[in-house]
């Protein structure tokens, strides 16, 4: 039985003070919840506050991105070692907004994934198609290509920590949500790709999340799909009570 993951991606929202207030309220709402793996991914400046607030709780903290080099003259970048030192356990890699606005490619996703695994961070790797790709029937080929690129040069015995988040780009921040059946179909494609590369045993245990306008009113229906192992939540994760209701689906 794959343990579900409920992850929050705050994107570029919340100051340290706002993070502290959120965590105080949120932790009260999810106290004692051990059924799922709960992860909050705030902006880098909020990591210390989030980690300190989450100590001795059932909530883990992750970064929203990282660079693949261990250190160097890379202004504005954050390494896996820095995330670990800040108290992070997880890191999001290859989010569609990183691909769209900041030049992320399948190649850089692969480099970051390798670096995250080397550092023993749990990577949440994002894949997903644009609307024109779905409408032209290319969802399977696009998602398959992104998975193949991300998994390159990773041996099966190192792949166990990898979490995949299927996020159809057309559903992120738009209010549109893939139907549970559409999401489940995409998840089957991802698991089939993982099976080809890593073998059945690894693929069968890999957690695959759904992301894209996840809200309290659709979380339970999405989670009911056996192929959906959790959710990566954007805007709806900014409210502590709302996000807690998703966790407590």
């Amino acid at each position: 039985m794959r343990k579900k993951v409920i992850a929050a991606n705050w994107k570029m929202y919340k100051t340290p003070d706002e993070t502290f207030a959120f965590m105080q309220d949120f932790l009260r709402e999810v106290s004692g919840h051990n059924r799922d793996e709960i992860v909050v991914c705030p902006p880098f400046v909020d990591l210390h506050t989030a980690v300190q607030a989450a100590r001795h709780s059932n909530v883990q903290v992750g970064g929203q991105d990282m660079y693949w080099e261990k250190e160097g003259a890379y202004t504005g970048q954050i390494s896996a070692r820095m995330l670990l030192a800040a108290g992070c356990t997880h890191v999001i890699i290859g989010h569609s907004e990183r691909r769209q606005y900041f030049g992320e490619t399948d190649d850089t996703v692969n480099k970051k994934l390798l670096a995250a695994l080397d550092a023993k961070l749990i990577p949440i790797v994002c894949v997903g198609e644009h609307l024109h790709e779905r409408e032209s029937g290319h969802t399977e080929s696009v998602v398959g290509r992104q998975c193949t690129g991300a998994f390159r040069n990773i041996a099966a015995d190192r792949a166990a920590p990898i979490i995949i988040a299927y996020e159809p780009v057309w559903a992120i921040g738009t209010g549109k949500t893939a139907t549970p059946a559409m999401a489940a179909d995409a998840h089957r494609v991802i698991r089939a790709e993982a099976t080809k590369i890593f073998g059945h045993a690894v693929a069968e245990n890999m957690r695959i999340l759904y992301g894209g306008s996840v809200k309290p009113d659709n979380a339970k229906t999405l989670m009911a799909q056996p192929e959906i192992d959790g959710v990566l939540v954007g805007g709806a994760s900014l409210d502590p009570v709302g996000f807690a209701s998703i966790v407590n689906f």
Side-chain angles (χ1 to χ4, degrees), residues 1 36 43 52 85 108 129 131 175 218:
M1 185 69 163
D36 309 305
Q52 292 300 312
T108 59
E129 81 284 6
L131 182 60
N218 63 20

Side-chain angles (χ1 to χ4, degrees), residues 131-213:
L131 182 60
H132 68 88
E133 291 167 330
R134 170 162 284 278
E135 290 179 338
S136 59
H138 293 147
T139 296
E140 186 170 338
S141 61
V142 170
V143 170
R145 185 204 75 226
Q146 290 173 338
C147 288
T148 300
F151 297 154
R152 193 174 65 253
N153 299 323
I154 296 174
D157 61 1
R158 299 187 64 207
I162 299 172
I163 298 170
I164 300 295
Y166 168 63
E167 292 202 308
V169 181
W170 49 270
I172 297 174
T174 63
K176 298 177 181 178
T177 309
T179 66
M182 289 163 66
D185 284 346
H187 285 216
R188 280 189 282 272
V189 169
I190 294 166
R191 205 172 300 283
E193 202 64 37
T195 300
K196 281 190 233 170
I197 297 170
F198 300 129
H200 175 76
V202 172
E204 192 59 29
N205 288 309
M206 184 173 284
R207 273 96 57 88
I208 305 175
L209 319 183
Y210 172 77
S213 294

Side-chain angles (χ1 to χ4, degrees), residues 10-234:
W10 286 0
K11 309 189 181 185
M12 199 174 72
Y13 292 97
K14 296 195 186 296
T15 64
D17 285 347
E18 291 167 339
T19 297
F20 180 79
F22 174 97
M23 294 299 285
Q24 294 295 105
D25 293 340
F26 178 64
L27 291 172
R28 277 195 298 269
E29 297 285 335
V30 299
S31 176
H33 182 110
N34 295 309
R35 180 192 60 196
D36 309 305
E37 192 171 313
I38 308 169
V39 188
V40 173
C41 299
F44 295 134
V45 297
D46 300 329
L47 288 176
H48 178 75
T49 301
V51 167
Q52 292 300 312
R55 283 187 189 282
H56 312 300
S57 80
N58 52 337
V59 176
Q60 300 175 81
V61 177
Q64 293 181 14
D65 187 33
M66 54 164 274
Y67 196 54
W68 57 84
E69 295 289 354
K70 293 181 180 178
E71 60 183 9
Y74 305 107
T75 300
Q77 296 294 339
I78 298 288
S79 70
R81 179 168 164 264
M82 292 172 179
L83 291 178
L84 284 171
C88 291
T89 53
H90 294 66
V91 62
I92 298 172
I93 295 173
H95 192 278
S96 66
E97 290 157 4
R98 298 297 311 175
R99 295 176 190 257
Q100 182 175 354
Y101 302 127
F102 303 107
E104 194 84 88
T105 65
D106 293 341
D107 183 53
T108 59
V109 167
N110 175 247
K111 290 179 180 180
K112 291 179 180 184
L113 178 53
L114 285 163
L117 292 172
D118 285 343
K120 303 294 190 290
L121 280 169
I122 298 171
I124 301 174
V125 182
C126 300
V127 300
E129 81 284 6
H130 287 269
L131 182 60
H132 68 88
E133 291 167 330
R134 170 162 284 278
E135 290 179 338
S136 59
H138 293 147
T139 296
E140 186 170 338
S141 61
V142 170
V143 170
R145 185 204 75 226
Q146 290 173 338
C147 288
T148 300
F151 297 154
R152 193 174 65 253
N153 299 323
I154 296 174
D157 61 1
R158 299 187 64 207
I162 299 172
I163 298 170
I164 300 295
Y166 168 63
E167 292 202 308
V169 181
W170 49 270
I172 297 174
T174 63
K176 298 177 181 178
T177 309
T179 66
M182 289 163 66
D185 284 346
H187 285 216
R188 280 189 282 272
V189 169
I190 294 166
R191 205 172 300 283
E193 202 64 37
T195 300
K196 281 190 233 170
I197 297 170
F198 300 129
H200 175 76
V202 172
E204 192 59 29
N205 288 309
M206 184 173 284
R207 273 96 57 88
I208 305 175
L209 319 183
Y210 172 77
S213 294
V214 177
K215 295 180 175 62
D217 60 1
N218 63 20
K220 186 173 183 178
T221 305
L222 288 164
M223 296 286 210
Q225 295 292 317
E227 276 296 323
I228 296 178
D229 303 316
V231 286
L232 179 59
V233 188

